[in-house]
Amino acid sequence: MKPELLLVEPMMPEIEALLDAAYTVHRYDGSVIPSNVASRIRGIATGGGTGVPAALMRTLSNLEVIAINGVGTDAVDLKEAARRGIGVTTTLNVLTDDVADLAMALMLSAMRDLVLGDQFVRNHQWGVGQLPLAHKVTGRKLGIVGMGQVGQAIAKRARGFDMPVSYYSRRDLALPDAPFVPDLQALAEQSDILVVAASGGAQSRHLISRDVMEALGPCGLLVNVSRGSVVDEQALVELLQQGKLGKAALDVFESEPRVPEALLKMKNVVLQPHRASATVETRLQMGQLVVANLGAHFAGVPLLTPVQSI
Ligand code: 8YV
């Protein structure tokens, strides 16, 4: 008999086909799972942002493994998983380049007003009206918050734009070409662009505070490709409205898919629907790793990319 699996967030059709071939897959729609089904579910596949709601995890009494189709673990209760002996895996290493690419795209898009330029052309304004000049990217001082794999991949790309890079992280990584700045506000103050690449979770909640954004200032750009929770979103909106923060380019939000109404109307903001890893190539690789991790678990061999238990 095939093991039973709960698919909490849809995946690519080719990946779902692989899951369907190996498991009896229940697709979660948010409603209560009948107890006779819940007790048969041994594995979960879910997204990084979606994770596993605590109440859902409680109902799955025989859960053995959670395979996250992403790198964020903030939406899964890792302590509870460890307590229950539930294995947790991520798609470590696979999506780093895509997230860094999107950070650069957001940076370029916001500084060079790409969205406004696109709308200008589409609205037949070219030759009629005037677009204000945009701002130069090359040579801008970049501050990176969170210097893990994604942060370092962003730094690598930024060097191609002659951007001096400094960073704030949990610890000094003694990198040869990027100074560590132990004071986040000081980093914001000295940066033209601040990119958030830190992990989400309680430890980083509202790390990008009102003070940090004020320090970035009226000419500064805030880019977020990590988790919405890392930024105090209400303060962000207010500072943008007041002109105390120059621009924002955001892939993630505090209560996805809800985006503050005020942001939708701002021209100095670029918005994306949590899409940093959403390329065909990467999602395929991520999905294959999810399938491989689940396969390893049910074959009784070590997980490929387990989350270290806490
Ligand atoms: C994905 C993510 O969008 O890696 C993560 O933690 O949030 C993103 O890469 C997500 O996992 C797919 O739902």
PDB file of all heavy atoms in Angstrom, residues 9-19 69 279-287:
ATOM      1  N   GLU A   9       0.504  22.685  -0.262  1.00  0.00           N
ATOM      2  CA  GLU A   9       0.573  23.758  -1.268  1.00  0.00           C
ATOM      3  C   GLU A   9       0.837  23.105  -2.624  1.00  0.00           C
ATOM      4  O   GLU A   9       1.705  22.236  -2.725  1.00  0.00           O
ATOM      5  CB  GLU A   9       1.721  24.711  -0.900  1.00  0.00           C
ATOM      6  CG  GLU A   9       1.821  25.933  -1.784  1.00  0.00           C
ATOM      7  CD  GLU A   9       3.026  26.802  -1.415  1.00  0.00           C
ATOM      8  OE1 GLU A   9       2.934  27.557  -0.428  1.00  0.00           O
ATOM      9  OE2 GLU A   9       4.054  26.711  -2.100  1.00  0.00           O
ATOM     10  N   PRO A  10       0.119  23.519  -3.663  1.00  0.00           N
ATOM     11  CA  PRO A  10       0.310  22.884  -4.970  1.00  0.00           C
ATOM     12  C   PRO A  10       1.750  22.997  -5.461  1.00  0.00           C
ATOM     13  O   PRO A  10       2.463  23.947  -5.128  1.00  0.00           O
ATOM     14  CB  PRO A  10      -0.623  23.667  -5.898  1.00  0.00           C
ATOM     15  CG  PRO A  10      -1.578  24.369  -5.010  1.00  0.00           C
ATOM     16  CD  PRO A  10      -0.884  24.602  -3.705  1.00  0.00           C
ATOM     17  N   MET A  11       2.168  22.005  -6.237  1.00  0.00           N
ATOM     18  CA  MET A  11       3.504  22.031  -6.837  1.00  0.00           C
ATOM     19  C   MET A  11       3.346  21.915  -8.351  1.00  0.00           C
ATOM     20  O   MET A  11       2.237  21.836  -8.858  1.00  0.00           O
ATOM     21  CB  MET A  11       4.349  20.887  -6.256  1.00  0.00           C
ATOM     22  CG  MET A  11       4.570  21.059  -4.753  1.00  0.00           C
ATOM     23  SD  MET A  11       5.428  19.682  -3.965  1.00  0.00           S
ATOM     24  CE  MET A  11       7.086  19.927  -4.561  1.00  0.00           C
ATOM     25  N   MET A  12       4.451  21.876  -9.085  1.00  0.00           N
ATOM     26  CA  MET A  12       4.365  21.767 -10.549  1.00  0.00           C
ATOM     27  C   MET A  12       3.647  20.468 -10.915  1.00  0.00           C
ATOM     28  O   MET A  12       3.851  19.447 -10.241  1.00  0.00           O
ATOM     29  CB  MET A  12       5.762  21.758 -11.165  1.00  0.00           C
ATOM     30  CG  MET A  12       6.451  23.095 -11.104  1.00  0.00           C
ATOM     31  SD  MET A  12       8.154  22.948 -11.702  1.00  0.00           S
ATOM     32  CE  MET A  12       7.883  23.042 -13.469  1.00  0.00           C
ATOM     33  N   PRO A  13       2.862  20.466 -12.002  1.00  0.00           N
ATOM     34  CA  PRO A  13       2.136  19.249 -12.379  1.00  0.00           C
ATOM     35  C   PRO A  13       3.038  18.029 -12.491  1.00  0.00           C
ATOM     36  O   PRO A  13       2.679  16.934 -12.047  1.00  0.00           O
ATOM     37  CB  PRO A  13       1.526  19.607 -13.735  1.00  0.00           C
ATOM     38  CG  PRO A  13       1.461  21.093 -13.749  1.00  0.00           C
ATOM     39  CD  PRO A  13       2.570  21.596 -12.890  1.00  0.00           C
ATOM     40  N   GLU A  14       4.251  18.202 -13.070  1.00  0.00           N
ATOM     41  CA  GLU A  14       5.140  17.038 -13.217  1.00  0.00           C
ATOM     42  C   GLU A  14       5.605  16.520 -11.859  1.00  0.00           C
ATOM     43  O   GLU A  14       5.855  15.332 -11.702  1.00  0.00           O
ATOM     44  CB  GLU A  14       6.313  17.290 -14.164  1.00  0.00           C
ATOM     45  CG  GLU A  14       6.998  18.623 -14.166  1.00  0.00           C
ATOM     46  CD  GLU A  14       6.299  19.733 -14.919  1.00  0.00           C
ATOM     47  OE1 GLU A  14       5.218  20.189 -14.455  1.00  0.00           O
ATOM     48  OE2 GLU A  14       6.848  20.202 -15.934  1.00  0.00           O
ATOM     49  N   ILE A  15       5.717  17.410 -10.885  1.00  0.00           N
ATOM     50  CA  ILE A  15       6.124  16.971  -9.540  1.00  0.00           C
ATOM     51  C   ILE A  15       4.943  16.286  -8.853  1.00  0.00           C
ATOM     52  O   ILE A  15       5.084  15.233  -8.225  1.00  0.00           O
ATOM     53  CB  ILE A  15       6.632  18.178  -8.696  1.00  0.00           C
ATOM     54  CG1 ILE A  15       7.832  18.841  -9.381  1.00  0.00           C
ATOM     55  CG2 ILE A  15       6.957  17.746  -7.267  1.00  0.00           C
ATOM     56  CD1 ILE A  15       9.040  17.942  -9.588  1.00  0.00           C
ATOM     57  N   GLU A  16       3.765  16.893  -8.998  1.00  0.00           N
ATOM     58  CA  GLU A  16       2.577  16.259  -8.394  1.00  0.00           C
ATOM     59  C   GLU A  16       2.350  14.871  -8.991  1.00  0.00           C
ATOM     60  O   GLU A  16       1.915  13.952  -8.303  1.00  0.00           O
ATOM     61  CB  GLU A  16       1.351  17.162  -8.562  1.00  0.00           C
ATOM     62  CG  GLU A  16       1.450  18.435  -7.706  1.00  0.00           C
ATOM     63  CD  GLU A  16       0.110  19.086  -7.423  1.00  0.00           C
ATOM     64  OE1 GLU A  16      -0.947  18.431  -7.602  1.00  0.00           O
ATOM     65  OE2 GLU A  16       0.103  20.265  -7.020  1.00  0.00           O
ATOM     66  N   ALA A  17       2.681  14.723 -10.287  1.00  0.00           N
ATOM     67  CA  ALA A  17       2.517  13.406 -10.920  1.00  0.00           C
ATOM     68  C   ALA A  17       3.448  12.388 -10.259  1.00  0.00           C
ATOM     69  O   ALA A  17       3.058  11.231 -10.034  1.00  0.00           O
ATOM     70  CB  ALA A  17       2.798  13.511 -12.417  1.00  0.00           C
ATOM     71  N   LEU A  18       4.656  12.816  -9.943  1.00  0.00           N
ATOM     72  CA  LEU A  18       5.608  11.913  -9.271  1.00  0.00           C
ATOM     73  C   LEU A  18       5.078  11.537  -7.882  1.00  0.00           C
ATOM     74  O   LEU A  18       5.172  10.378  -7.456  1.00  0.00           O
ATOM     75  CB  LEU A  18       6.988  12.575  -9.119  1.00  0.00           C
ATOM     76  CG  LEU A  18       7.769  12.855 -10.408  1.00  0.00           C
ATOM     77  CD1 LEU A  18       9.059  13.615 -10.107  1.00  0.00           C
ATOM     78  CD2 LEU A  18       8.107  11.541 -11.115  1.00  0.00           C
ATOM     79  N   LEU A  19       4.521  12.530  -7.198  1.00  0.00           N
ATOM     80  CA  LEU A  19       3.972  12.258  -5.861  1.00  0.00           C
ATOM     81  C   LEU A  19       2.782  11.296  -5.967  1.00  0.00           C
ATOM     82  O   LEU A  19       2.675  10.336  -5.197  1.00  0.00           O
ATOM     83  CB  LEU A  19       3.540  13.562  -5.174  1.00  0.00           C
ATOM     84  CG  LEU A  19       4.660  14.542  -4.801  1.00  0.00           C
ATOM     85  CD1 LEU A  19       4.074  15.823  -4.201  1.00  0.00           C
ATOM     86  CD2 LEU A  19       5.634  13.904  -3.804  1.00  0.00           C
ATOM     87  N   ASN A  69       9.049  22.647   0.351  1.00  0.00           N
ATOM     88  CA  ASN A  69       9.453  23.008  -1.012  1.00  0.00           C
ATOM     89  C   ASN A  69       9.976  24.453  -0.984  1.00  0.00           C
ATOM     90  O   ASN A  69       9.373  25.371  -1.533  1.00  0.00           O
ATOM     91  CB  ASN A  69       8.238  22.878  -1.942  1.00  0.00           C
ATOM     92  CG  ASN A  69       8.596  23.104  -3.400  1.00  0.00           C
ATOM     93  OD1 ASN A  69       9.682  22.754  -3.832  1.00  0.00           O
ATOM     94  ND2 ASN A  69       7.667  23.682  -4.142  1.00  0.00           N
ATOM     95  N   THR A 279      10.827  30.041 -10.841  1.00  0.00           N
ATOM     96  CA  THR A 279      11.197  29.823 -12.243  1.00  0.00           C
ATOM     97  C   THR A 279      10.977  28.337 -12.527  1.00  0.00           C
ATOM     98  O   THR A 279      11.046  27.507 -11.616  1.00  0.00           O
ATOM     99  CB  THR A 279      12.669  30.183 -12.532  1.00  0.00           C
ATOM    100  OG1 THR A 279      13.523  29.277 -11.827  1.00  0.00           O
ATOM    101  CG2 THR A 279      12.983  31.615 -12.132  1.00  0.00           C
ATOM    102  N   VAL A 280      10.728  28.039 -13.785  1.00  0.00           N
ATOM    103  CA  VAL A 280      10.481  26.654 -14.182  1.00  0.00           C
ATOM    104  C   VAL A 280      11.657  25.775 -13.751  1.00  0.00           C
ATOM    105  O   VAL A 280      11.496  24.709 -13.151  1.00  0.00           O
ATOM    106  CB  VAL A 280      10.296  26.565 -15.718  1.00  0.00           C
ATOM    107  CG1 VAL A 280      10.237  25.124 -16.176  1.00  0.00           C
ATOM    108  CG2 VAL A 280       9.046  27.320 -16.144  1.00  0.00           C
ATOM    109  N   GLU A 281      12.870  26.268 -14.037  1.00  0.00           N
ATOM    110  CA  GLU A 281      14.067  25.472 -13.784  1.00  0.00           C
ATOM    111  C   GLU A 281      14.224  25.168 -12.297  1.00  0.00           C
ATOM    112  O   GLU A 281      14.458  24.018 -11.895  1.00  0.00           O
ATOM    113  CB  GLU A 281      15.311  26.228 -14.298  1.00  0.00           C
ATOM    114  CG  GLU A 281      15.335  26.482 -15.796  1.00  0.00           C
ATOM    115  CD  GLU A 281      14.453  27.644 -16.270  1.00  0.00           C
ATOM    116  OE1 GLU A 281      13.853  28.343 -15.426  1.00  0.00           O
ATOM    117  OE2 GLU A 281      14.344  27.858 -17.495  1.00  0.00           O
ATOM    118  N   THR A 282      14.085  26.214 -11.494  1.00  0.00           N
ATOM    119  CA  THR A 282      14.323  26.040 -10.055  1.00  0.00           C
ATOM    120  C   THR A 282      13.197  25.270  -9.381  1.00  0.00           C
ATOM    121  O   THR A 282      13.439  24.385  -8.554  1.00  0.00           O
ATOM    122  CB  THR A 282      14.545  27.425  -9.409  1.00  0.00           C
ATOM    123  OG1 THR A 282      15.741  27.946  -9.973  1.00  0.00           O
ATOM    124  CG2 THR A 282      14.688  27.348  -7.903  1.00  0.00           C
ATOM    125  N   ARG A 283      11.959  25.591  -9.746  1.00  0.00           N
ATOM    126  CA  ARG A 283      10.843  24.879  -9.109  1.00  0.00           C
ATOM    127  C   ARG A 283      10.886  23.379  -9.438  1.00  0.00           C
ATOM    128  O   ARG A 283      10.490  22.550  -8.632  1.00  0.00           O
ATOM    129  CB  ARG A 283       9.517  25.501  -9.517  1.00  0.00           C
ATOM    130  CG  ARG A 283       9.204  26.788  -8.766  1.00  0.00           C
ATOM    131  CD  ARG A 283       8.843  26.517  -7.296  1.00  0.00           C
ATOM    132  NE  ARG A 283       8.852  27.737  -6.506  1.00  0.00           N
ATOM    133  CZ  ARG A 283       7.829  28.553  -6.382  1.00  0.00           C
ATOM    134  NH1 ARG A 283       6.694  28.283  -6.980  1.00  0.00           N
ATOM    135  NH2 ARG A 283       7.934  29.636  -5.645  1.00  0.00           N
ATOM    136  N   LEU A 284      11.399  23.063 -10.639  1.00  0.00           N
ATOM    137  CA  LEU A 284      11.533  21.654 -11.003  1.00  0.00           C
ATOM    138  C   LEU A 284      12.567  20.984 -10.103  1.00  0.00           C
ATOM    139  O   LEU A 284      12.325  19.920  -9.531  1.00  0.00           O
ATOM    140  CB  LEU A 284      11.954  21.553 -12.482  1.00  0.00           C
ATOM    141  CG  LEU A 284      11.675  20.249 -13.209  1.00  0.00           C
ATOM    142  CD1 LEU A 284      10.214  19.844 -13.085  1.00  0.00           C
ATOM    143  CD2 LEU A 284      12.048  20.390 -14.689  1.00  0.00           C
ATOM    144  N   GLN A 285      13.701  21.654  -9.946  1.00  0.00           N
ATOM    145  CA  GLN A 285      14.760  21.105  -9.083  1.00  0.00           C
ATOM    146  C   GLN A 285      14.306  21.019  -7.632  1.00  0.00           C
ATOM    147  O   GLN A 285      14.603  20.044  -6.938  1.00  0.00           O
ATOM    148  CB  GLN A 285      15.973  22.027  -9.130  1.00  0.00           C
ATOM    149  CG  GLN A 285      17.077  21.574 -10.058  1.00  0.00           C
ATOM    150  CD  GLN A 285      18.309  22.443  -9.834  1.00  0.00           C
ATOM    151  OE1 GLN A 285      18.271  23.631 -10.175  1.00  0.00           O
ATOM    152  NE2 GLN A 285      19.350  21.887  -9.261  1.00  0.00           N
ATOM    153  N   MET A 286      13.589  22.059  -7.192  1.00  0.00           N
ATOM    154  CA  MET A 286      13.081  22.046  -5.810  1.00  0.00           C
ATOM    155  C   MET A 286      12.136  20.863  -5.631  1.00  0.00           C
ATOM    156  O   MET A 286      12.228  20.103  -4.665  1.00  0.00           O
ATOM    157  CB  MET A 286      12.330  23.366  -5.504  1.00  0.00           C
ATOM    158  CG  MET A 286      13.211  24.577  -5.342  1.00  0.00           C
ATOM    159  SD  MET A 286      12.275  26.133  -5.415  1.00  0.00           S
ATOM    160  CE  MET A 286      11.280  26.057  -3.934  1.00  0.00           C
ATOM    161  N   GLY A 287      11.223  20.704  -6.597  1.00  0.00           N
ATOM    162  CA  GLY A 287      10.232  19.631  -6.505  1.00  0.00           C
ATOM    163  C   GLY A 287      10.888  18.259  -6.497  1.00  0.00           C
ATOM    164  O   GLY A 287      10.499  17.366  -5.746  1.00  0.00           O
TER     165      GLY A 287
END
